[in-house]
Amino acid sequence: MMRRLPFILAIVLTACAAAPAAAERLVVSLSNHRVAITSNFDGENLVLFGTIEPTDSKTKLRQNYDLVVTVTGPRHTLRTRRKERVLGIWVNVDAREFVRVPSYLAVLSNRPVSEIAPPDVLRLEQVGIDNFLLPQRIGPDLADTVPQDPFRTAFVRLESQQGLYQESGAGVTFLTPTVFRAAIQLPAAVPTGAYAIEVKLFADGALVTRTGSALEVVKAGFEQFIAEAARDHGFLYGLATALMALLTGWLASVIFRRD
Amino acid sequence: MQFYLPIADMPVNIFLVLAMGVAVGFISGMFGIGGGFLMTPLLIFIGIPPAVAVASVASHIAASSFSGAISYWRKRALDTALALMLLSAGIIGTATGVWLFTILRSLDQLDLMIGLSYVTLLTVVGGMMINESVRAELRTRKGQPATLRRPGSHTWLHGLPFKMRFKRSKIYVSAIPVWAIGFIIGFIGAIMGIGGGFILVPMLIYFLRVPTATVIGTSMVLTLVTMASATVMHAVTNHLVDAVLALILMIGGVIGAQFGARTGQKMRGERLRLLLGLLVFSVGLRFAWQLVVQPDDLYSLRLVGAV
């Protein structure tokens, strides 16, 4: 056992040297971890505050940090379809399936991501919508394409039009060189479910450290009651809606009766 | 005032939806139709997901046709036997339509199919109505009787077997065309998300020679039953009926229908039919335009499934 100790020590030391010497750590706090969709919900803005702190008292902080916040919503599968003119009318002729892609994707940074790090680092860390893995079903394979692929650009464009995909080089503001805030905008049509927030700190084009947070979008009150009734008790819900229709129709005929 | 719809998952302006309900209700009351062929496209236009629009409009039509059916019932202006016969085939037609709906959706051709059926049906039916009422108008100008209906005139439809007598409507016809009409209405209702009153009424008049006195009431009973059961079916299978959206539409719809009915009663039948024909025809042209003109975006998204 004692003879093995130097060996183990050597492994541990090598491992420590290989890992980035994270002298800084991130401390973040989200303004609200639970977004409730009520009847007057019309989108919500959240604020993520954070600081860059030295891990121990000896570390000296740098001055040129870059920060990227990536928020991803619950995953779903979408088909992107393309129309073409066939016999004078516009018909969907081609489609690609985007498998398990985020229903919401926001990339917020203090300056455009392309200026923060070289392309290979961005690709490896999936920073920016162009570098985010959006797997498509192509034949029997699942693969992401180049960002210029027509289906991929169309998909990102359509999602961006609804405010569900967004990339902003001004989404993160440094209040002091080490204190920052990020504004997360959830549109009115935001999907419900669990959201992950990943915060990545860069300096001189390299990843320094990262941390995460999470938030949840849920229906509350009346909205929750209706949505759950529709999902869990479909038949009773349908019956109740049909009865409501009959009642409305009957009331109208009574109120407006003229004979 | 914005209100978040729990099933459509989006906020809408209550007053806008209410106004749409009143406007479509006015037209439906004036012409004695459900108005689904106007309401479904309008809802899709303001951004409601098409599947939710189709499912929720069903209950809205159920409400307005029930209110209409009650007043026709009081006037004894509906033929229960005929309605039941139409219904028995209508249910089979609806089931077939729902089956085809699912297949076309998986092939990404549902939008095209809906578009094409709207264009064909609306332009043909609208064109026939315009033609018919313009001719009637011309005949009145010449001093001849306006009605085309010749009591006792027979077509080949009257030569078919399985004859039945419908006392209230005073007709004696084969069950085959009755079933065929019921099937067609159920089928296109399921595919297009409409009640089909605007097609059913002319079909009953032209093919079965149902008198105008009972035709609207009977059509309303058929619409009521198919749309109420469609509501339950959509709720069970797709969970896509938005009760809040439906309620706003219903309230607007029944109010609008009352004013529409009053306006309609002041107008001559032929004039009314010309107006309805023009309306149906122009909605058909609108759909044709959409198919022929290059869309703003050649690409569109469709949700396959949440994970």
Side-chain angles (χ1 to χ4, degrees):
Chain A
M1 187 66 206
M2 284 302 285
R3 265 185 301 167
R4 276 192 190 167
L5 197 64
F7 182 62
I8 293 168
L9 230 100
I11 290 176
V12 171
L13 281 175
T14 331
C16 285
E24 295 95 340
R25 68 190 172 113
L26 287 165
V27 180
V28 294
S29 167
L30 190 63
S31 60
N32 182 7
H33 286 280
R34 191 172 173 277
V35 175
I37 294 184
T38 52
S39 27
N40 56 1
F41 182 77
D42 193 18
E44 189 156 325
N45 294 325
L46 301 176
V47 182
L48 180 90
F49 275 105
T51 59
I52 304 161
E53 289 188 347
T55 38
D56 53 66
S57 51
K58 286 166 212 147
T59 317
K60 198 171 179 305
L61 288 176
R62 287 170 270 194
Q63 292 295 312
N64 54 345
Y65 291 113
D66 285 309
L67 197 90
V68 183
V69 177
T70 308
V71 186
T72 50
R75 305 249 166 185
H76 63 184
T77 299
L78 284 172
R79 268 171 96 81
T80 305
R81 304 163 306 174
R82 185 172 54 86
K83 282 200 171 81
E84 228 171 67
R85 186 169 247 159
V86 178
L87 300 170
I89 56 171
W90 291 89
V91 182
N92 285 325
V93 287
D94 204 358
R96 285 264 190 85
E97 206 167 286
F98 286 75
V99 182
R100 290 178 55 79
V101 289
S103 52
Y104 175 87
L105 175 62
V107 180
L108 311 165
S109 50
N110 57 316
R111 54 179 173 146
V113 286
S114 56
E115 297 171 11
I116 291 177
D120 55 322
V121 176
L122 295 178
R123 190 75 194 158
L124 183 72
E125 293 298 332
Q126 294 194 40
V127 168
I129 292 181
D130 279 356
N131 299 306
F132 198 90
L133 207 58
L134 297 175
Q136 298 176 37
R137 196 184 301 282
I138 301 167
D141 292 324
L142 272 186
D144 195 2
T145 54
V146 289
Q148 295 80 28
D149 173 69
F151 274 98
R152 197 186 195 277
T153 46
F155 173 76
V156 171
R157 183 182 67 240
L158 289 167
E159 292 283 36
S160 304
Q161 277 166 9
Q162 300 180 61
L164 291 172
Y165 277 31
Q166 33 183 291
E167 184 171 316
S168 167
V172 175
T173 319
F174 274 101
L175 306 172
T176 75
T178 58
V179 177
F180 58 87
R181 65 181 276 258
I184 301 169
Q185 292 168 2
L186 300 176
V190 71
T192 53
Y195 284 64
I197 303 175
E198 197 166 35
V199 187
K200 285 173 179 158
L201 183 69
F202 290 87
D204 305 319
L207 181 73
V208 177
T209 184
R210 70 177 83 201
T211 187
S213 183
L215 74 104
E216 194 188 12
V217 178
V218 289
K219 286 179 186 166
F222 176 71
E223 307 293 317
Q224 182 188 23
F225 172 73
I226 297 285
E228 279 178 3
R231 194 186 57 224
D232 303 334
H233 309 283
F235 182 69
L236 285 178
Y237 175 84
L239 221 54
T241 314
L243 281 177
M244 179 176 82
L246 297 188
L247 193 70
T248 317
W250 175 75
L251 270 177
S253 80
V254 169
I255 294 170
F256 294 102
R257 189 172 177 174
R258 282 170 298 149
D259 47 306
Chain B
M1 194 174 87
Q2 296 281 315
F3 194 93
Y4 190 91
L5 298 176
I7 308 294
D9 281 345
M10 59 173 286
V12 290
N13 189 323
I14 287 193
F15 298 115
L16 176 71
V17 178
L18 201 63
M20 281 165 49
V22 172
V24 175
F26 184 83
I27 292 166
S28 76
M30 190 161 156
F31 301 115
I33 54 171
F37 76 100
L38 292 169
M39 189 53 99
T40 309
L42 269 179
L43 288 179
I44 295 172
F45 180 73
I46 64 161
I48 308 279
V52 177
V54 168
S56 309
V57 163
S59 58
H60 160 243
I61 301 174
S64 56
S65 49
F66 188 57
S67 127
I70 291 174
S71 55
Y72 282 95
W73 174 259
R74 286 202 197 109
K75 292 178 204 155
R76 304 195 157 268
L78 60 88
D79 191 326
T80 325
L82 181 61
L84 284 176
M85 281 293 287
L86 287 166
L87 269 176
S88 60
I91 289 163
I92 302 167
T94 308
T96 318
V98 169
W99 169 76
L100 190 67
F101 190 92
T102 322
I103 291 181
L104 289 171
R105 199 173 140 88
S106 66
L107 294 174
D108 289 316
Q109 299 306 348
L110 184 67
D111 303 350
L112 174 71
M113 186 65 191
I114 291 178
L116 280 177
S117 25
Y118 264 94
V119 171
T120 324
L121 264 173
L122 298 183
T123 48
V124 169
V125 174
M128 276 164 65
M129 283 175 169
I130 294 171
N131 181 33
E132 189 80 5
S133 40
V134 166
R135 279 186 186 186
E137 187 80 8
L138 290 176
R139 270 196 306 276
T140 346
R141 294 258 166 97
K142 284 180 192 162
Q144 291 163 350
T147 51
L148 246 197
R149 192 175 128 78
R150 291 149 297 175
S153 69
H154 278 231
T155 62
W156 60 273
L157 286 173
H158 292 80
L160 292 170
F162 307 116
K163 287 217 156 191
M164 287 185 76
R165 194 174 293 281
F166 297 100
K167 282 183 192 138
R168 183 61 50 82
S169 299
K170 300 192 185 75
I171 51 168
Y172 183 57
V173 286
S174 159
I176 294 171
V178 178
W179 274 329
I181 290 173
F183 182 87
I184 292 169
I185 296 298
F187 180 77
I188 52 184
I191 295 264
M192 294 165 63
I194 56 173
F198 75 101
I199 316 164
L200 181 61
V201 172
M203 274 179 145
L204 291 179
I205 293 176
Y206 296 130
F207 297 134
L208 301 184
R209 310 243 176 232
V210 176
T212 21
T214 52
V215 73
I216 292 177
T218 309
S219 143
M220 276 183 167
V221 174
L222 186 74
T223 314
L224 164 67
V225 179
T226 45
M227 288 294 108
S229 50
T231 304
V232 179
M233 267 160 65
H234 279 300
V236 172
T237 53
N238 307 314
H239 311 289
L240 287 174
V241 178
D242 199 309
V244 178
L245 175 64
L247 183 64
I248 306 173
L249 291 177
M250 278 174 209
I251 294 172
V254 293
I255 294 171
Q258 296 301 324
F259 294 105
R262 283 174 208 187
T263 314
Q265 280 157 6
K266 286 181 199 145
M267 294 172 86
R268 283 211 336 273
E270 298 304 326
R271 186 64 53 80
L272 211 55
R273 202 184 299 172
L274 176 64
L275 277 180
L276 179 59
L278 286 171
L279 177 73
V280 168
F281 191 71
S282 47
V283 175
L285 282 188
R286 168 77 183 76
F287 274 91
W289 176 256
Q290 221 167 4
L291 283 177
V292 175
V293 167
Q294 177 164 1
D296 291 340
D297 202 327
L298 292 182
Y299 291 88
S300 58
L301 295 180
R302 178 170 72 81
L303 184 67
V304 176
V307 179

